[in-house]
Amino acid sequence: MADLISSTDRSPRADEKAGMRERRRRGRGRNRASADIVRPERKVDYRRLVNSFEPVRVYSDDRIAAIHDMALKVLEELGMRLLLPEALDLLRTRARDDVSIDDDARHCRFGRDLVAEAIATAPAGWTLHGGTPETSTVWGGRHVVWCAVGGAPHISDLDGGKRPGTMEDSRNIMRLCEHYDVMHVQGPNVEAQDIDTAFRHLEVTRAQLVLSTKPPFVYCRGKGQVADGMEMVRIARGLSEEAFRAAPHVYTVINTNSPLVLDRPMLQGIMDFAEHGQPILLTPFTLSGAMAPVTIPGALVQQHAEFLAGLVISQLTRPGAPVCYGCFTSNVAMRSGAPAFGTPENVRAAFASGQLARLVGVPWRSSGSCTANCVDAQAVYETQMALWGATLGGANFVAHAAGWMEGGLTGSMEKFIVDIEMLQQMAELMQPVAFDEDDLAFEAMRDVGSGGHFFGTQHTMERYETAFYEPFLSDWSNFNQWTENGAVQTPERANAIWKQVLRDFEPPALDESAREALDDFVARRTAEGGAPPLT
């Protein structure tokens, strides 16, 4: 990266390339300044975002309380199927007076007091540590963390079309995530289907730690895979077991099998991550009309109940274990059953989920999703609707914020770049607003008077280079100039950008002994047969 190159070692060409990389990373163009005017750099911080908007409240406080109360009734009278015997044993041992367990059906009903105790011990926020202080992320309050597409089985780009994801595709998205400041953590992006699932977690975790300093994601597909992933993070970060358990360094996603089921790998993951003090994004998959009631309030009741059940297991394992309230409630197309995202119902459910998370007192995860099959207008307006639901709803973590397409079946390289442009504009809206007497511009208006223009005023000349956000993807030329330049449309421009970023990419420095230890660990675990996923 540009800031790792010593200024004494740079050639003029290296300076130019470094400047280009910086503009692409932060999305801000530069015009050459006049020699006689000294202007400050335009400074924004996309890494530590704080949402300046008051969260939207779609339901009144009494209706949110009614959803919470009905979710408690669901847990009390209907309960959850819990498919991992160890989870039932945990509940029987540590909450025997407040649960009703049917071992044959692997089913549990939860008392209200038990849920209240879990809510009381769940933390309101934490710092997830990266490889450097600059890449650590704060979860909770009004802090915002964005993550790219996760778990897509396919990759697509304009050159190769849609195809199964590979390890190199996964690495490329990691490189893009490391490059752009608005990507705050690494994630599962696309599945490396060219690597067997017993070994995939080893290669993916190693790649995250070698290619990025941002907080990594660890697969939650059984105790062995979790243990491998956590050990690799300790190796790369130089952490003892005690230091690792003392603070968050890695995260994962836990999905319920809606309606009202938690399967074996997810329950094992809740317990393993809680035991080690690492955060989980506990996310019911409640599509209204399919895996949840067709009414949004009903779907929210089910979502809330499923979250609270997982929260109880986490807090019984280790009181104070970090848990983020995940929501994925949207609707389906009732004629086909296909998931729909970026809909008014999706946004309304996001607003309400934020209210429910704040009622519980934990950070909240939303998503930037769409159902589009190509990088077109639908891909943009659905994603932006979802992002507005997350942003105005006060989400602390936004999954699938860049590159998600086809309802999560595909990660798109061109859409990744389009989404980065949208996210940077969202980030600009969150920046502190300058406001002093000079900003009110009375003297500038006196200078111009009636019917003039402000292009050449001192007020404008002192500010024009840093006054506005300059998109890195948009083409602002007029129609004739755009046509003469080849009439290049947004997906083609995005294609050129991601390719250039990958060509210029320089991985961050990693201690050679740590790299060797990682390689040795992966080689040993591979020779031992890896860790087949828990089913």
Side-chain angles (χ1 to χ4, degrees), residues 140-201:
R142 292 202 174 186
H143 294 275
V144 181
V145 176
W146 284 329
C147 181
V149 56
H154 300 100
I155 188 74
S156 74
D157 56 53
L158 292 182
D159 304 278
K162 177 182 172 180
R163 57 197 184 276
T166 67
M167 189 63 233
E168 186 58 20
D169 293 322
S170 184
R171 290 190 191 100
N172 282 339
I173 294 182
M174 292 176 199
R175 293 176 178 114
L176 294 177
C177 289
E178 176 69 7
H179 177 82
Y180 287 105
D181 283 359
V182 290
M183 289 285 95
H184 301 123
V185 296
Q186 290 290 343
N189 63 66
V190 297
E191 289 289 341
Q193 295 193 61
D194 54 340
I195 299 178
D196 187 271
T197 52
F199 311 105
R200 188 179 303 169
H201 67 290

Side-chain angles (χ1 to χ4, degrees), residues 376-387:
D376 60 1
Q378 178 185 340
V380 174
Y381 65 68
E382 287 182 348
T383 300
Q384 192 160 78
M385 278 287 285
L387 288 175

Side-chain angles (χ1 to χ4, degrees), residues 427-479:
E428 288 283 333
L429 287 173
M430 296 179 190
Q431 300 300 309
V433 179
F435 194 94
D436 58 28
E437 188 170 352
D438 285 344
D439 292 308
L440 296 174
F442 180 80
E443 293 302 323
M445 287 184 275
R446 185 204 299 276
D447 292 344
V448 171
S450 302
H453 66 76
F454 290 83
F455 283 116
T457 65
Q458 181 180 353
H459 189 267
T460 298
M461 295 302 291
E462 289 173 348
R463 294 166 174 80
Y464 78 93
E465 286 195 313
T466 61
F468 308 126
Y469 172 80
E470 293 185 40
F472 70 97
L473 178 61
S474 299
D475 186 336
W476 283 355
S477 58
N478 62 39
F479 181 81

Side-chain angles (χ1 to χ4, degrees), residues 68-79 112:
H68 179 70
D69 186 68
M70 188 61 70
L72 295 176
K73 183 176 181 180
V74 168
L75 291 177
E76 200 171 36
E77 298 186 16
L78 305 181
R112 290 175 178 243

Side-chain angles (χ1 to χ4, degrees), residues 479-533:
F479 181 81
N480 290 338
Q481 186 63 59
W482 174 74
T483 303
E484 290 177 12
N485 291 339
V488 181
Q489 298 189 28
T490 300
E492 287 76 18
R493 294 196 298 273
N495 178 271
I497 289 171
W498 70 255
K499 288 177 179 176
Q500 187 65 50
V501 171
L502 294 185
R503 280 194 294 269
D504 289 347
F505 183 80
E506 300 171 17
L510 179 64
D511 182 79
E512 192 58 35
S513 62
R515 183 188 297 270
E516 291 176 359
L518 272 178
D519 291 342
D520 290 345
F521 180 86
V522 171
R524 176 174 64 80
R525 292 293 294 125
T526 299
E528 293 170 350

